[in-house]
Amino acid sequence: MEKILIIGGVAAGATAAAKARRISSDAQITILESGPDISFANGGLPYYIGGDIKNRSKLILQSPESFHEQYQTTVYVNTTATRIDRKNRLVHAVDAQTGEMKIYEYTKLILAQGGRPISPPIPGAKYSHVFQLWTLEDMDKIKSFIDNNNPKSAVVVGGGFIGLEMAEALVKNGLSVTVVEMMPHVMSIMEAEIAGFIQQEMSAYGIDLKTSKAVSEIGKKSVTLDDGSQIDADMVLLSIGVRPTLKLAQEAGLAIGEAGGLLVDSMLKTSDDHIYAAGDMIELEHRIYNKKIRIPLAGPANRQGRIAAENALGGKHPYKGATGTSVVRVFEAVAGITGLSLKAARAAGLDADAIVIHKENHVSYYPGAEMVAVLIVYDRHTGVILGGQTAGYSGSDRRLDVLATAAASKLTVSDLADMDFAYAPPLGSANDPINMAAFAAENRISGYSPAMTVSELDDYLEGKTAYWLDVRDIFDYEKAHVDKAVNIPLEILMSKLHELLPKNRMIVVYDSTGKKGHQAVRMLIGAGFNQVLNVSGGFASLSGYARSVTPTNFKLDLPDPKPKKIGACAQQEEKAAATLSTKEKKPASNEPLIVDVRSIEEFAYGAAPGAINIPLDELESRLDELGARDRKIILYCASGSRSSYAVQILKACGFTNPVNGGSLMRMITQSIRR
């Protein structure tokens, strides 16, 4: 009879035990867990503290009793393994509550001890108001401190997943929160422009960000940074990384790998044929470039636990590695990464490029459309997907999963360009953001549309002189633009090409999201300009980058993000404000009238001089505001399409002189000329 002994519970260990029982009905299965809980939802801990999860019991997935009842597995909690006797296949352990020493036999041993948060040697780190978050006990201590001490301020040290989730949880508890991160931006594994989206959301909710800074000392009511500045801190959360739990394995003489984790082969077997391992303590193959790495994530840990159990019981199931797919939600903003970043790909010696696009998560005409950023990293010659990142308020996780599948399957950008995705107006678009990103990648690979990501561009411009061309509308330009950029909206660019001479000057083009920038680049190339670059992702990427790092070779000053409040419905507030701002008096004269038939929200963003706003859908019900039937009425919209339809409506209603003024930019240009 097999005696399967598992050291460690939670993700990998508990999963291994359950899988082992499904394979073998007669194996003796035992789990030793050093903590008080065998299986709990550690990913949910910040959300209980923040109040999103109301019941603590929801986080407890199994107890020793329920595990025994369901899987006929014996579980010993508060039991710490102290030594592995590999020769006799014995594990020595101690009961933390009684101090009793115990010995357990095994035919196969599965190590699933995971990792522990790194405890930095910072003076004051042992104070009672300083916390880490890893277990239910940690969570209870934090919750109790908040409830009993009513802290007003908190410092979160570390801008990774747990740090950001806890920053949100503390804000929801009414605390003033500062996040201190040693790297140039939070979520350092992501590109700066993707991280900038998260940082903007954090700033909007009042979180103070201190990047490229470190904590040098923790006081009883403050922390001191390495630049000498001090921050109020009634409580401190340390979240600077996870270190694998290796003492037991090392003392047993098991091999440790080059990445600092327990070394296992493709079957998750250690250097001992009778010992397998899974979870945060091991190092594994990265599926993109076959390098040993550590990926302390719950998803891989669960799958490794299953495979380790299967192989310990005679299976031959190889573990193919992981791509490090991970996602974080901070308030309403979501961002994620899979595979390699551009920097990591190039550091690994791969000839990689990247593009980024920003597109609505579903068709723009259906209510609630939100922009999704999709960044793809790919091999410059083969087009094979090496990684990707996404960000947005809705739909970004769905696109991240597509990129994760593509990277793991070694699909190319052309494969993604031709991929069919589910489409219905409330859910997607005929060309999904993934399709659009793949199109942009194909255009860069072929040279049809030269482009660079913002981080690449910032480096590329070192020592060079560039002419920045902003092809957005004048309203966007006036809100914020790259220093010294010239504004020529795309709609009038063809008539202004003479202003861009000579044709051999370097021109860096950007629009709002990258799409019109591509059109402008094609227009300029067609006119003979030969040093033209499109900023991949347009101003959305420029602003994300500038919010997370300080650009070296261009300057972009951005307004503070619009403040947000917990529980406030920003869309409703914006719509109400827009409605109030567009109330106009009915025209009394018979002079020519300019009517903007766009939506209230579009009109509030910016309009032609002297225009009144009557949305197209309201036009027939508001004819009395237009005056006499023979009055000249100039109608316009964003592109000229809705205003063309409006002309037909007015003619059908007896108006004899309606004129389609076309696009907003055409109207503004004509106004300037007048």
Side-chain angles (χ1 to χ4, degrees):
M1 180 179 68
E2 291 280 9
K3 295 182 178 180
I4 306 298
L5 181 61
I6 301 168
I7 302 179
V10 194
T15 301
K19 180 66 174 180
R21 177 56 70 214
R22 288 193 290 269
I23 294 173
S24 173
S25 60
D26 59 359
Q28 177 183 307
I29 305 172
T30 304
I31 300 177
L32 308 181
E33 168 56 47
S34 61
D37 303 292
I38 180 59
S39 181
F40 63 93
N42 51 358
L45 304 185
Y47 302 106
Y48 174 74
I49 295 171
D52 301 278
I53 297 173
K54 304 299 182 184
N55 300 317
R56 183 185 186 279
S57 60
K58 293 285 187 181
L59 300 174
I60 302 172
L61 305 180
Q62 292 280 1
S63 67
E65 295 77 15
S66 66
F67 216 92
H68 185 271
E69 181 179 352
Q70 188 171 354
Y71 298 109
Q72 297 79 56
T73 295
T74 302
V75 178
Y76 296 97
V77 295
N78 298 307
T79 301
T80 302
T82 58
R83 184 167 71 89
I84 301 173
D85 180 349
R86 292 168 54 188
K87 181 179 179 180
N88 297 302
R89 298 181 201 166
L90 300 172
V91 169
H92 295 255
V94 60
D95 186 315
Q97 294 181 322
T98 66
E100 181 183 357
M101 302 299 297
K102 298 180 180 180
I103 297 176
Y104 300 89
E105 298 179 358
Y106 68 85
T107 58
K108 293 292 190 298
L109 175 63
I110 299 176
L111 298 177
Q113 293 177 277
R116 290 291 303 172
I118 296 172
S119 298
I122 301 173
K126 300 299 184 181
Y127 281 137
S128 60
H129 69 294
V130 180
F131 303 94
Q132 293 180 310
L133 182 63
W134 196 247
T135 66
L136 284 171
E137 184 180 9
D138 295 334
M139 179 191 77
D140 291 337
K141 288 180 179 178
I142 294 172
K143 188 73 166 61
S144 176
F145 183 87
I146 293 172
D147 292 343
N148 295 327
N149 294 276
N150 194 28
K152 303 299 182 184
S153 60
V155 169
V156 175
V157 184
F161 292 97
I162 294 176
L164 299 192
E165 291 165 355
M166 274 303 299
E168 175 184 343
L170 294 171
V171 168
K172 288 180 175 178
N173 276 276
L175 279 75
S176 173
V177 179
T178 301
V179 173
V180 180
E181 168 58 51
M182 287 184 63
M183 301 301 287
H185 56 76
V186 303
M187 299 305 299
S188 59
I189 60 174
M190 298 181 184
E191 301 292 343
E193 62 193 82
I194 300 297
F197 174 72
I198 292 293
Q199 290 195 181
Q200 177 176 329
E201 183 80 351
M202 295 170 69
S203 296
Y205 278 96
I207 295 175
D208 191 12
L209 298 170
K210 305 289 186 183
T211 55
S212 299
K213 299 285 191 301
V215 173
S216 59
E217 185 176 357
I218 300 174
K220 293 184 177 180
K221 285 292 183 179
S222 67
V223 300
T224 303
L225 303 186
D226 54 3
D227 62 0
S229 61
Q230 288 191 331
I231 306 170
D232 291 341
D234 294 333
M235 64 179 294
V236 177
L237 180 86
L238 301 177
S239 179
I240 61 175
V242 177
R243 181 177 288 120
T245 303
L246 297 175
K247 185 174 184 290
L248 186 69
Q250 287 174 314
E251 291 179 349
L254 299 177
I256 305 301
E258 61 187 34
L262 183 59
L263 185 65
V264 294
D265 63 14
S266 62
M267 299 295 166
L268 298 180
K269 184 171 65 177
T270 69
S271 52
D272 185 312
D273 288 342
H274 299 280
I275 303 177
Y276 292 76
D280 294 358
M281 68 185 300
I282 73 168
E283 62 180 51
L284 48 89
E285 291 280 341
H286 197 293
R287 291 186 69 160
I288 306 302
Y289 66 134
N290 301 320
K291 181 180 178 181
K292 291 286 188 178
I293 57 169
R294 290 193 306 107
I295 299 181
L297 294 171
N302 273 278
R303 289 183 287 279
Q304 292 158 18
R306 289 169 53 87
I307 293 172
E310 183 178 343
N311 293 338
L313 286 166
K316 299 296 180 183
H317 185 162
Y319 180 64
K320 297 179 181 179
T323 58
T325 305
S326 51
V327 67
V328 65
R329 191 200 75 181
V330 184
F331 300 104
E332 287 80 37
V334 177
I337 181 171
T338 187
L340 301 177
S341 66
L342 180 59
K343 181 179 180 180
R346 290 179 173 175
L350 302 175
D351 194 3
D353 272 340
I355 57 84
V356 61
I357 63 98
H358 302 265
K359 189 179 188 298
E360 294 89 350
N361 65 316
H362 57 64
V363 292
S364 58
Y365 61 79
Y366 189 88
E370 298 277 5
M371 283 291 180
V372 174
V374 176
L375 183 149
I376 298 180
V377 182
Y378 56 88
D379 185 283
R380 184 182 301 177
H381 302 289
T382 65
V384 169
I385 306 297
L386 303 174
Q389 297 170 44
T390 64
Y393 289 107
S394 179
S396 62
D397 53 342
R398 165 183 159 189
R399 275 76 187 190
L400 183 66
D401 286 339
V402 171
L403 295 180
T405 303
S409 304
K410 301 190 183 305
L411 300 182
T412 67
V413 293
S414 295
D415 292 328
L416 289 184
D418 295 337
M419 194 77 70
D420 292 339
F421 296 104
Y423 162 56
L427 304 172
S429 52
N431 277 324
D432 190 83
I434 293 290
N435 297 123
M436 298 301 293
F439 298 158
E442 286 183 319
N443 287 339
R444 181 173 180 181
I445 291 172
S446 67
Y448 179 72
S449 183
M452 284 189 181
T453 63
V454 183
S455 60
E456 289 180 280
L457 183 64
D458 198 12
D459 292 337
Y460 176 75
L461 291 177
E462 181 70 38
K464 298 181 178 68
T465 300
Y467 181 95
W468 286 82
L469 177 61
D470 186 326
V471 297
R472 299 174 300 157
D473 64 48
I474 190 172
F475 305 109
D476 282 331
Y477 177 81
E478 288 178 346
K479 285 180 174 65
H481 57 267
V482 173
D483 187 44
K484 298 180 181 178
V486 175
N487 179 223
I488 304 178
L490 179 67
E491 291 83 354
I492 61 173
L493 180 58
M494 186 61 76
S495 65
K496 298 280 189 176
L497 291 179
H498 63 280
E499 297 180 11
L500 305 180
L501 296 174
K503 292 185 176 181
N504 63 348
R505 79 192 310 178
M506 181 191 297
I507 301 177
V508 178
V509 180
Y510 69 89
D511 70 328
S512 295
T513 63
K515 182 179 179 181
K516 287 187 176 181
H518 160 65
Q519 294 175 255
V521 164
R522 289 304 308 160
M523 190 182 297
L524 292 171
I525 291 175
F529 291 83
N530 55 32
Q531 287 197 69
V532 187
L533 275 174
N534 183 26
V535 178
S536 190
F539 192 80
S541 287
L542 284 165
S543 59
Y545 183 85
R547 288 197 186 278
S548 60
V549 297
T550 301
T552 303
N553 292 297
F554 66 90
K555 183 179 179 182
L556 175 57
D557 293 326
L558 294 167
D560 292 335
K562 184 177 179 180
K564 296 182 178 181
K565 295 181 180 179
I566 299 295
C569 182
Q571 290 183 341
Q572 289 182 358
E573 290 179 355
E574 289 175 3
K575 186 172 182 180
T579 302
L580 289 173
S581 68
T582 57
K583 289 183 178 180
E584 299 287 342
K585 293 181 179 180
K586 295 181 180 180
S589 72
N590 203 39
E591 295 179 356
L593 177 67
I594 302 174
V595 179
D596 185 321
V597 298
R598 298 176 301 157
S599 68
I600 293 173
E601 293 81 5
E602 290 174 290
F603 182 79
Y605 194 73
I612 67 167
N613 179 221
I614 304 179
L616 180 62
D617 293 333
E618 301 177 16
L619 187 58
E620 287 187 82
S621 64
R622 296 174 60 179
L623 296 177
D624 60 319
E625 298 179 32
L626 302 180
R629 291 298 195 264
D630 62 349
R631 185 179 194 180
K632 183 177 182 180
I633 301 173
I634 304 170
L635 304 113
Y636 76 90
C637 61
S639 65
S641 57
R642 281 176 284 178
S643 51
S644 175
Y645 193 77
V647 168
Q648 297 177 42
I649 291 175
L650 293 188
K651 286 183 176 179
C653 292
F655 286 83
T656 59
N657 200 12
V659 176
N660 185 5
S663 69
L664 170 62
M665 282 303 103
R666 179 184 295 178
M667 291 294 297
I668 290 175
T669 302
Q670 290 174 350
S671 175
I672 292 173
R673 287 173 180 170
R674 289 196 293 268

